[in-house]
Amino acid sequence: MRIAIIIQTEPCTYQDFGTAYEVALAALRKGHEVQVFLYDEAVVAANSKVKMVGERQVNKMIRELAERKVPIITCGACCLFRGITSDMLVEGSRMGGLTDLAKMITWAEKVLNLGH
């Protein structure tokens, strides 16, 4: 099965990001394909320059998913609005746009949207 996961909420405040991460790992273990789109405040998770401590080290979670060959696309406009440039992104993630989101949704058999 092809699963698209869209995350919109701030990664260190809400549990949405951790839920999406665990769903992605479970799907990969079962042999499913996963793609992730980070939108709104969730793009902060792909910023490799942010130092995070504690359990929610979301940029490490993004890195792990990317290492597992999960495409991680961040909304470019959302990144730039927050001062995140492409050279600041976690390796394996990239900036994209709403066209990429539309392609991901079309590709997917199931879509999980975690947002406001």
Side-chain angles (χ1 to χ4, degrees):
M1 181 180 305
R2 295 183 309 270
I3 303 168
I5 301 175
I6 304 162
I7 311 167
Q8 294 179 266
T9 55
E10 204 280 328
C12 297
T13 303
Y14 300 97
Q15 184 55 38
D16 293 349
F17 193 87
T19 299
Y21 173 74
E22 293 299 331
V23 166
L25 290 180
L28 292 170
R29 282 192 297 271
K30 291 187 178 243
H32 300 300
E33 296 176 72
V34 177
Q35 293 186 15
V36 175
F37 190 88
L38 302 178
Y39 195 68
D40 288 336
E41 293 299 323
V43 299
V44 173
N47 185 349
S48 65
K49 306 300 182 197
V50 173
K51 304 295 182 219
M52 298 183 182
V53 296
E55 290 181 29
R56 289 194 187 172
Q57 296 186 30
V58 292
N59 49 11
K60 289 183 181 178
M61 293 177 186
I62 288 291
R63 186 175 302 112
E64 182 182 341
L65 291 176
E67 288 170 356
R68 293 175 182 244
K69 307 299 182 213
V70 172
I72 310 289
I73 303 172
T74 64
C75 172
C78 298
C79 284
L80 295 175
F81 182 76
R82 288 158 183 82
I84 301 170
T85 57
S86 59
D87 62 312
M88 296 167 72
L89 293 177
V90 169
E91 187 175 335
S93 62
R94 69 172 181 86
M95 282 190 194
L98 295 181
T99 302
D100 295 295
L101 177 58
K103 287 177 185 176
M104 186 181 294
I105 291 169
T106 302
W107 165 86
E109 295 171 288
K110 300 287 182 186
V111 177
L112 174 62
N113 183 41
L114 297 161
H116 312 276

